């Protein structure tokens, strides 16, 4: 019943999508109406809908996308923006009705978890109740999320499946992806993951045995930046990082012994030679606790802080198990280019 209530709350904003290149079908997927201004709205979905089958980074010729709403009405979409690295696209829909289009409730993920050994507890199941839009939602491994989609032919039924949030790696070039241990159908790609409150947590993609998803934090940041600047601009630090709680316990032990008050942060797994992180002196197993004057408790917090500092010099404070005091380092947030970013593979190769 918890899942059904959440699905019923979110389903009016879920649309079925089908795209064509001329008269040839390209893809079927789903999307979410995230903004509405009267009878005009913005749909967030997967860029697979508009990708050319023969090219990794190009839009198909003469693209047409049709959206099917929950009430059975269908409308042509206008492509507003897309990003093949994140595999997302924003579409505009114009309804013929004067009634406002239904929009989803979005809740940014709070992916911070404390490793404080004094905070041992057993999680208690809380009664489910619908709530208004929240600013954030703390997502913990093992939490249940619900993947939603809408079928692209009549009667345009809603589709739903549940799974557990997992820390397992997605092994894609897009390192911002998280995963849930459930499977969706092909036409569910681009639809949302929601929590038990009916709030959108991210955008669903597809793989065998699990479902990768892009956190709504990343998608929202991308879309807000595009509306403000009219072009994509992404940060690149030249290092791979993860949340501190995901580090091996032997590494955590050394850090906690040296810095007994540090229980949240972002740990560096790898540093690319010649990158800004390398030039600044950041090393593997360093823990980033402050970035550009902002305390950093999680990976998604670091990502958002980086996005606002592209091209600027910033101070980074890290702790290192071999040092007794935090280190203050200076680095420049580089802009991502085609040399250091890769797009998603085609459907045939990456499912």
């Amino acid at each position: 019943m918890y899942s059904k209530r959440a699905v019923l709350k979110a389903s009016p904003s879920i649309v079925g999508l089908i795209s064509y290149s001329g008269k040839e079908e390209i893809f079927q997927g789903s999307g979410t109406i995230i903004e509405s201004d009267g009878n005009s709205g913005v749909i967030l979905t997967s860029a697979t809908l508009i990708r050319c089958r023969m090219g990794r980074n190009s839009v198909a010729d003469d693209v047409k996308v049709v959206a099917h709403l929950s009430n059975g009405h269908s409308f042509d979409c206008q492509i507003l923006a897309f990003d093949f690295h994140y595999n997302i696209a924003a579409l505009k829909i114009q309804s013929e009705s004067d009634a406002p289009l239904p929009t989803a409730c979005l809740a940014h993920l709070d992916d911070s978890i404390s490793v404080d050994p004094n905070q041992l507890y057993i999680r208690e199941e809380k009664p489910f109740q619908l709530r208004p839009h929240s600013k954030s939602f703390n997502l913990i491994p093992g939490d249940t999320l619900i993947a939603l989609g809408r079928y692209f032919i009549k009667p345009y039924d809603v589709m739903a499946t549940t799974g557990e949030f997992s820390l397992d790696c997605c092994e894609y070039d897009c390192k911002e992806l998280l995963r849930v241990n459930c499977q969706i159908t092909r036409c569910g790609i681009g639809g949302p993951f929601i929590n038990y409150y009916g709030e959108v947590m991210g955008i669903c993609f597809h793989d065998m045995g699990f479902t990768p998803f892009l956190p709504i934090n990343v998608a929202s940041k991308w879309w807000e930046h595009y509306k403000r600047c009219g072009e994509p601009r992404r940060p690149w630090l030249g290092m791979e990082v993860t949340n501190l709680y995901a580090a091996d316990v032997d590494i955590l032990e050394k850090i906690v012994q040296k810095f007994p008050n540090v229980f949240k942060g972002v740990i560096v797994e790898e540093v690319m030679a010649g990158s800004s992180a390398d030039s600044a002196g950041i090393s593997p197993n360093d823990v980033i606790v402050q970035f550009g004057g902002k305390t950093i408790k999680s990976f998604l917090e670091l990502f958002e802080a980086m996005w606002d500092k592209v091209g600027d010099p910033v101070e980074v404070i890290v702790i290192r198990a071999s040092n007794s005091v935090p280190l203050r380092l200076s680095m420049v947030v580089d802009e991502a280019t085609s040399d250091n970013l890769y797009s998603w593979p085609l459907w045939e190769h990456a499912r």
Side-chain angles (χ1 to χ4, degrees):
M1 286 307 303
Y2 294 169
S3 299
K4 289 181 179 179
R5 290 170 182 168
V7 170
L8 291 173
K9 179 176 176 60
S11 65
S13 64
I14 310 304
V15 300
L17 297 167
I18 185 167
S19 59
Y20 302 89
S21 176
K23 296 183 178 180
E24 181 185 0
E25 180 183 312
I26 301 175
F27 206 78
Q28 313 102 19
S30 299
T32 308
I33 303 175
I34 60 169
E35 293 181 7
S36 177
D37 182 11
N39 61 351
S40 175
V42 175
I43 298 171
L44 200 59
T45 185
S46 168
T48 307
L49 275 164
I50 62 174
R51 189 194 299 268
C52 177
R53 291 182 179 272
M54 304 304 295
R56 292 169 60 89
N57 292 313
S58 60
V59 178
D61 295 331
D62 192 21
V63 176
K64 175 183 177 181
V65 181
V66 180
H68 301 284
L69 277 62
S70 60
N71 59 12
H73 294 166
S74 300
F75 303 98
D76 291 347
C77 299
Q78 175 189 351
I79 301 171
L80 298 177
F82 57 89
D83 189 306
F84 286 138
H85 175 69
Y86 293 129
N87 197 25
I88 52 178
L91 312 175
K92 182 179 180 180
I93 183 174
Q94 189 80 35
S95 170
E96 297 173 354
S97 170
D98 293 332
L101 292 168
T103 57
C105 292
L106 311 182
H108 282 202
L109 293 183
D110 174 4
D111 59 330
S112 63
I113 302 175
S114 175
V115 295
D116 186 350
N118 296 313
Q119 291 186 354
L120 295 176
Y121 68 100
I122 298 176
R123 297 186 63 195
E124 298 179 356
E125 292 295 332
K126 297 181 179 180
F128 170 82
Q129 62 182 34
L130 295 178
R131 62 177 180 177
H133 168 64
S134 63
K135 291 184 178 179
S136 65
F137 178 84
N138 187 227
L139 188 62
I140 297 175
D143 280 352
T144 298
L145 292 183
I146 306 163
L148 286 186
R150 187 170 298 284
Y151 206 47
F152 61 95
I153 60 175
K154 289 183 179 180
Y156 310 122
D157 291 337
V158 68
M159 304 175 294
T161 186
T162 61
E164 292 185 351
F165 171 55
S166 168
L167 290 181
D168 294 337
C169 180
C170 290
E171 297 182 354
Y172 277 90
D173 290 323
C174 182
K175 301 305 180 182
E176 292 83 5
L177 291 177
L178 303 177
R179 65 181 279 174
V180 174
N181 292 337
C182 66
Q183 288 184 274
I184 63 172
T185 63
R186 176 176 174 175
C187 58
I189 294 173
F193 261 122
I194 63 171
N195 59 19
Y196 271 157
Y197 300 103
E199 300 165 330
V200 174
M201 303 279 98
I203 303 171
C204 299
F205 300 122
H206 187 275
D207 208 317
M208 299 299 293
F210 66 94
T211 301
F213 74 98
L214 185 71
I216 200 64
N217 309 38
V218 180
S220 296
K221 197 76 174 179
W222 168 82
W223 174 236
E224 291 300 325
H225 178 83
Y226 192 91
K227 288 193 295 183
R228 186 172 64 250
C229 303
E231 60 181 3
R233 195 184 189 197
R234 296 185 294 268
W236 187 74
L237 286 184
M239 58 181 174
E240 293 192 10
V241 299
T242 189
N243 284 315
L244 179 60
Y245 68 79
D248 292 340
V249 69
D250 59 324
I251 296 174
L252 289 174
E253 183 184 35
K254 294 181 176 65
I255 292 170
V256 171
Q257 285 178 345
K258 187 64 69 72
F259 299 93
N261 295 319
V262 176
F263 302 115
K264 294 183 179 182
V266 173
I267 189 165
V268 178
E269 296 182 311
E270 181 181 351
V271 178
M272 288 67 168
S275 66
S276 295
D278 186 29
S279 300
I282 294 178
S283 301
N285 294 334
D286 282 355
V287 179
I288 300 172
V289 294
Q290 195 172 114
F291 186 92
K294 177 181 175 59
T295 299
I296 298 299
K297 300 178 181 179
S298 71
F299 166 74
L300 289 176
E301 279 191 347
L302 175 63
F303 173 85
E304 294 188 50
M306 287 168 50
W307 200 299
D308 295 327
K309 298 292 185 180
V310 172
D312 298 333
V314 296
E315 182 184 66
V316 183
I317 298 180
V318 304
I319 60 173
R320 187 175 293 169
S322 60
N323 288 64
S324 58
V325 296
L327 303 175
R328 294 179 178 270
L329 307 176
S330 180
M331 66 183 303
V332 175
V333 181
D334 288 336
E335 182 175 356
T337 67
S338 58
D339 294 330
N340 53 38
L341 277 182
Y342 303 90
S343 70
W344 283 55
L346 296 177
W347 167 269
E348 287 80 6
H349 296 108
R351 300 172 297 277

